[in-house]
Amino acid sequence: MTDLNDSKPVEPQNADIFPADFVWGVATSAFQIEGAASADGKGPSIWDTFCRQAGAIADASHGDIACEHYQRLDADLDMIAGLGVDAYRFSVSWPRVRPSGSGAWNEPGLAFYERLIDGLIARGVKPYLTLNHWDLPQALQDVGGWANRATVDRFVEYAQGIAARFGDKLVSITTHNEPWVIAMLGHESGIFAPGLKDRKIALQVAHHLLLSHGLAVRALRAGGCKAKLGIVLNLAPMHPATDSPADRTRTTLEDGRLLRWYVDPLFKGRYPDDVLSDYGHDAPLVLDGDMEAIATPIDFLGVNYYSRSVVSASGSWDVKTNSTREVTDMGWEVYPEGLTELLVRLHRDYRVPPLFVTENGGAFKDIVENGQVHDADRTRYIAQHIAAVAAAMREGVRMGGYMVWSLMDNFEWASGYEKRFGIVHVDYTTQQRTLKDSAHWYRRFLAAQTSGRTSAR
Ligand code: IFM
């Protein structure tokens, strides 16, 4: 399966492991690719605002143009279909469809997503929609953003509006992408929008995100929505740097902050006691009924996996000096067995519905040579992680699908356009798309899967 030689066909060695209905996909998000930041009535999002803050983005860039996906929709849909994927995971820009986050809806914005969804279906690709991939309408931030409980109600209305318009056509709706990132990077460290630095606010934001997720799922179900409903978390196994009690204790706490703080409420209806007591006065205000709402059953859990974390009480473990592994351009250690470990743990410790790897991929430095990008590092990364999913399935984990992050190079948040995760290269001057070797490999791998499925029947 990890045959990376372009000239040889990829052997479908996993055709017996991945069932015929296993969903293979590619993923993107609205702000990172669409551009058209103020076209056709779109309102500003918190990321439009954040990008204007001096020093916020490494290359001082923004999302005004990005990959011009808004203007190049049809060609991009052809490109997606050409990869042979089953599904495309994309997000809706809330301020494109409801510019102020409340009040009037914006028909041209809705029409764009209608074309996207219909275009996918016409090409035989399943639409997997995410409601919130971080681009909150700025108008809602102006009245407190996710720290304001009223935003929970606005989100439920937004979810209902999208489901009413597109619900019948969608295979899957994700409420939030990576609530930990929104809460902690956006409100505690402040390195992401909206750029606040207050842990108490961050934890209230995390609670409101989880609450809005649960209430939206309830509302969509009550409205008869047929799409599968779930949430996507960024997770990583945490390993202690040494066997010392201090490192191990710290690892348990960090695991609680990243994983258990989200997975326990979703599947056990409570926050973990050890983390709650560590947060002390910063713990969020939780009202009667909130935890029951958060634990509303879901149809799938999405896992975004990139690497493990190694934790030392003193903060002294550094990937560059301590790891013998390959490291991506983000400085993240390539650690595929961590994905198996994580999926198996979720399966064993929680009553989880089918799991999807909703994002997985690597940023590597790419060189375009004669219209080709020989990204053996990225290809290897993806192949190793698909093998890690297969290993989890062999241990009994119920897996629904796997999606590469990302379809194409795009705006990598605080890193701007300097980091490239795409299996398709984007020349930001000409907007030319070039399939990298990893895209060709993925296409061949999927074709081999399909023929494996066909011949197995
Ligand atoms: O680009 C991001 C994506 O938006 C969310 N998950 C992680 C990716 C890589 O950093």
Side-chain angles (χ1 to χ4, degrees), residues 133-151:
H133 199 124
W134 309 355
D135 44 357
L136 182 75
Q138 180 59 41
L140 292 184
Q141 189 61 42
D142 294 343
V143 291
W146 284 110
N148 179 353
R149 198 170 164 108
T151 300

Side-chain angles (χ1 to χ4, degrees), residues 91-352:
S91 77
V92 171
S93 158
W94 184 351
R96 192 180 293 291
V97 297
R98 208 177 192 201
S100 305
S102 62
W105 291 78
N106 181 39
E107 182 50 36
L110 289 164
F112 170 73
Y113 294 108
E114 189 130 67
R115 278 210 300 134
L116 196 168
I117 293 164
D118 289 347
L120 288 171
I121 294 169
R123 290 166 176 83
V125 179
K126 297 181 173 79
Y128 275 55
L129 180 148
T130 299
L131 290 164
N132 174 26
H133 199 124
W134 309 355
D135 44 357
L136 182 75
Q138 180 59 41
L140 292 184
Q141 189 61 42
D142 294 343
V143 291
W146 284 110
N148 179 353
R149 198 170 164 108
T151 300
V152 172
D153 300 327
R154 301 291 81 73
F155 180 76
V156 175
E157 290 166 12
Y158 163 53
Q160 288 174 308
I162 293 297
R165 177 78 176 238
F166 307 123
D168 290 348
K169 300 175 180 178
L170 298 170
V171 171
S172 159
I173 300 178
T174 290
T175 52
H176 300 296
N177 183 72
E178 303 184 353
W180 178 89
V181 171
I182 300 170
M184 307 318 280
L185 301 190
H187 301 78
E188 186 191 36
S189 68
I191 60 169
F192 278 12
L196 304 185
K197 293 183 181 160
D198 183 319
R199 186 167 80 164
K200 188 162 180 56
I201 291 177
L203 294 172
Q204 196 62 53
V205 164
H207 181 67
H208 287 159
L209 286 165
L210 288 171
L211 178 62
S212 65
H213 153 79
L215 292 176
V217 169
R218 270 191 192 167
L220 298 195
R221 289 243 173 79
C225 180
K226 299 279 186 304
K228 301 281 188 208
L229 305 175
I231 188 168
V232 166
L233 304 177
N234 55 298
L235 300 176
M238 302 269 172
H239 295 158
T242 71
D243 247 359
S244 74
D247 284 356
R248 295 171 73 89
T249 304
R250 185 59 193 246
T251 303
T252 303
L253 178 61
E254 293 301 337
D255 172 73
R257 289 174 172 172
L258 180 75
L259 188 145
R260 290 181 287 120
W261 193 255
Y262 298 88
V263 185
D264 282 18
L266 288 167
F267 298 105
K268 296 182 175 173
R270 57 183 161 75
Y271 286 114
D273 290 337
D274 60 330
V275 190
L276 208 46
S277 91
D278 176 73
Y279 281 148
H281 292 305
D282 288 341
L285 177 67
V286 177
L287 302 188
D288 278 354
D290 285 4
M291 301 314 291
E292 289 76 10
I294 291 170
T296 300
I298 50 180
D299 301 313
F300 69 90
L301 175 65
V303 175
N304 292 352
Y305 177 82
Y306 291 91
S307 187
R308 67 167 176 169
S309 290
V310 179
V311 181
S312 71
S314 61
S316 60
W317 200 89
D318 171 59
V319 72
K320 287 195 202 76
T321 48
N322 292 295
S323 177
T324 53
R325 301 294 188 96
E326 191 182 2
V327 171
T328 72
D329 199 27
M330 296 297 283
W332 299 345
E333 191 187 26
V334 179
Y335 199 82
E337 59 268 52
L339 178 56
T340 311
E341 178 185 332
L342 181 61
L343 297 171
V344 169
R345 173 184 177 194
L346 290 169
H347 170 73
R348 288 203 181 137
D349 292 1
Y350 297 91
R351 292 168 63 86
V352 282

Side-chain angles (χ1 to χ4, degrees), residues 29 32 133-134 177-178 304 306 330 332 359 405 410-413 421:
S29 86
Q32 293 178 270
H133 199 124
W134 309 355
N177 183 72
E178 303 184 353
N304 292 352
Y306 291 91
M330 296 297 283
W332 299 345
E359 287 183 24
W405 184 270
N410 55 51
F411 176 77
E412 179 51 28
W413 308 111
F421 275 89

